[in-house]
Amino acid sequence: MNPILRKEMRSLLRERRGWLVPGLYGALLAGIVAVVCQTTAYAVIDPQRMAVEAAMVVAVLQTIVVALIAPILGAASIASERERGTWTRLLAAPIARSQIAVGKLAATGMYIVVLLLVPLPVAALTVLFGGMDMASLSGLCTTHLLLGITLGCVGLAVSTAFHRTWVATAVAIALVATLTVTAELPALTLRTSAETPMWIALLESLSPIRGTELFFRGDEIEHARRFWAMHFGALAALAAGAVAFATVRIRSMTE
Amino acid sequence: MIEMEHVSHAYGSRSVLEDVSLRVARGEVAGLVGPNGAGKTTLMRILATLLRPTAGSVRIGGCDVCSSPELARWVVGFLPERTSLYPELTAWEYLDLFAEMAGQAPAVRKRRIDEALARVSLDDRRDAPTRELSKGLRQRLGLQATLMHDPRVLVLDEPTDGLDPLSRRDVLAEVRELAASGRAVLISSHVLAEIEEVADTVYVLAGGRLNGDDPEPLRRYRIRVRGDLEQARAHLAKQPDVRSAVLDGDRILVDLESQVADPSSLAQSLLARGFALLEMSEEHSRLEERFERAVKGS
């Protein structure tokens, strides 16, 4: 096992944030779903419709949580080491710098997986009541995992440039917000015909909320597949770029 | 072990080190003293591969620090000025991190960590989070972590800073032990008495320059004998641990190589050769004087 990953997991298990964030997220999710069930007039007469709404709540909330937590985790990974004064020792240790980057990234990914597990009980209930099928659930989980890893990579890249955790976190969040607005705005304002222009489709595929949006658009399978492929490709390219930037920065880091 | 030749370093247009050359041999403890901002930490960070010098060459255990920093990191162990540990990790886990980074097998790792914890008397508190340890214990634990990959060279940046006298004594004793085991040690401190106590040679850094490339040994003895002075001098010069023996009027000045060399063996050897020993006294260290001279000169 990568020693940095092992260290990060040990730290996360002991730190308050390690269990506080998933705990709060679980409580928030349960609360919102309960409110949806209580306030929906057709809850008794049409449980499937209620399950569809609950599935939508789970998907949207999951997107927001992943889009917020992943860049925060990534941004804190190196900046917090520098802030605490532990980074120098890691850089002087006989371990490849790429191993440090891999360990930090893997730890972010592991935590994202934990966050993805939190809504599974509620999601399983929506599947049980016909709110979504198993294929959609696993597709949604894959989308969120890819989104989390990508935004974690973006956070890690930002983290290499700052010495203060809060600055790195603020910049990472601002970057994700800018990416979302830049990717969504042309589609919202310029799309006039039924056929989306290619440049708008390409830009839109970079949006962090694109994956969740595709689930609820009800496109035809062939049409949806094209958008999926574009979205996954865009996220993978963004992640690769961020990892390359972070690796180059870490390899050349002196302090 | 450490060979630094004509090293300079600048942060932008501000020069921090200028034409610095130093050597530290196997089993030697070299002290580095200097006022604040003299460039001590910069020099140590260059040795730890954390900074690249703007000019000059640095070799550690035969590895060029500039062209092969990855290799050099296997040879050198660096303890930075302010040792921060991961507060949520236990003492055992902290050492495990460094042993694992050195790629050691689990069985070897366990043995080395247990030995290290025993050395700092932490074997009964191995599962205590490092935040619960005293500053002295944290510093000693940090030093043990530096040793996890068994480096041949140690670069210790003010390892006793802020420690109480007992912890300070323990750390210095450990430094001596490490040198005795064949490692080359470069240690910096603001406390001159401490450096005098532990170091075989001392480099004084002021204004980015070293005060003399050939540091004076710290222990000098003034010996007076009855008999042929030149013969006695030649005899003393051949003794182990004697760096030099020179005539100074009716006395012989003997510089010892190391702090641990036993001066009584000099007296015994003179007596055995038939010289009557009239006087043998240790000359007081001139470190403070050198320090003042270097600071004024810079």
Side-chain angles (χ1 to χ4, degrees), chain A residues 173-202:
Chain A
I173 295 284
L175 212 59
V176 171
T178 309
L179 183 70
T180 311
V181 172
T182 312
E184 289 290 331
L185 211 57
L188 289 173
T189 55
L190 299 176
R191 187 161 48 198
T192 50
S193 63
E195 189 63 33
T196 311
M198 185 49 88
W199 72 271
I200 289 186
L202 277 173

Side-chain angles (χ1 to χ4, degrees), chain A residues 1-4 6-7 10-11 14-15 81 84-86 88-95 97 251 254-255, chain B residues 45 50-51 73-74 78-80 83-89 93-94 96-97 100-101 142 145-146 149:
Chain A
M1 191 183 202
N2 181 302
I4 304 297
R6 193 194 296 274
K7 188 270 287 179
R10 280 171 170 163
S11 295
R14 305 230 171 83
E15 280 177 355
E81 296 257 10
R84 292 202 287 189
T86 48
T88 307
R89 294 211 70 171
L90 286 190
L91 289 184
I95 181 173
R97 300 272 172 97
R251 283 175 74 94
T254 51
E255 284 183 70
Chain B
R45 284 177 182 242
L50 296 171
L51 283 176
R73 279 180 211 127
W74 285 97
F78 176 56
L79 186 69
T83 303
S84 305
L85 313 182
Y86 297 101
E88 62 283 350
L89 295 187
E93 287 167 347
Y94 185 70
D96 186 48
L97 167 66
E100 206 177 357
M101 282 198 288
T146 307
H149 63 287

Side-chain angles (χ1 to χ4, degrees), chain B residues 236-258:
Chain B
L236 285 170
K238 287 180 204 154
Q239 300 306 305
D241 291 326
V242 170
R243 175 181 278 201
S244 67
V246 291
L247 290 179
D248 179 29
D250 61 345
R251 289 174 172 80
I252 306 165
L253 293 181
V254 179
D255 287 336
L256 290 187
E257 283 279 7
S258 153

Side-chain angles (χ1 to χ4, degrees), chain A residues 69-90:
Chain A
I69 300 293
I72 290 175
L73 282 174
S77 56
I78 290 172
S80 67
E81 296 257 10
R82 286 170 134 180
E83 202 168 61
R84 292 202 287 189
T86 48
W87 186 237
T88 307
R89 294 211 70 171
L90 286 190

Side-chain angles (χ1 to χ4, degrees), chain B residues 75-153:
Chain B
V75 183
V76 67
F78 176 56
L79 186 69
E81 189 179 343
R82 274 178 289 274
T83 303
S84 305
L85 313 182
Y86 297 101
E88 62 283 350
L89 295 187
T90 66
W92 197 92
E93 287 167 347
Y94 185 70
L95 294 179
D96 186 48
L97 167 66
F98 284 85
E100 206 177 357
M101 282 198 288
Q104 287 164 0
V108 179
R109 229 156 67 202
K110 189 181 174 306
R111 182 177 52 79
R112 288 188 67 92
I113 295 170
D114 288 342
E115 284 169 4
L117 288 172
R119 270 198 297 275
V120 289
S121 312
L122 268 175
D123 24 8
D124 56 338
R125 296 183 68 191
R126 47 183 279 157
D127 295 325
T130 58
R131 64 169 169 265
E132 290 177 7
L133 303 177
S134 67
K135 189 170 180 182
L137 277 177
R138 284 206 299 269
Q139 193 71 356
R140 293 181 69 194
L141 189 66
L143 181 57
Q144 294 305 320
T146 307
L147 300 171
M148 277 296 122
H149 63 287
D150 201 14
R152 285 180 286 155
V153 173

Side-chain angles (χ1 to χ4, degrees), chain B residues 23-95:
Chain B
R23 279 167 187 269
V24 185
R26 196 169 181 267
E28 180 183 0
V29 179
L32 184 65
V33 293
N36 289 331
K40 300 190 296 291
T41 297
T42 301
L43 189 149
M44 293 196 143
R45 284 177 182 242
I46 287 173
L47 289 172
T49 74
L50 296 171
L51 283 176
R52 270 174 176 268
T54 41
S57 72
V58 184
R59 293 178 76 81
I60 294 183
C63 291
D64 190 310
V65 165
C66 301
S67 61
S68 315
E70 295 86 5
L71 271 179
R73 279 180 211 127
W74 285 97
V75 183
V76 67
F78 176 56
L79 186 69
E81 189 179 343
R82 274 178 289 274
T83 303
S84 305
L85 313 182
Y86 297 101
E88 62 283 350
L89 295 187
T90 66
W92 197 92
E93 287 167 347
Y94 185 70
L95 294 179

Side-chain angles (χ1 to χ4, degrees), chain A residues 9 11 25 36 49 72 97 118 126 143 172 178 183 191 224 233 255:
Chain A
M9 297 316 288
S11 295
Y25 174 38
V36 168
R49 201 166 155 193
I72 290 175
R97 300 272 172 97
V118 171
T126 65
T143 305
T178 309
R191 187 161 48 198
E255 284 183 70

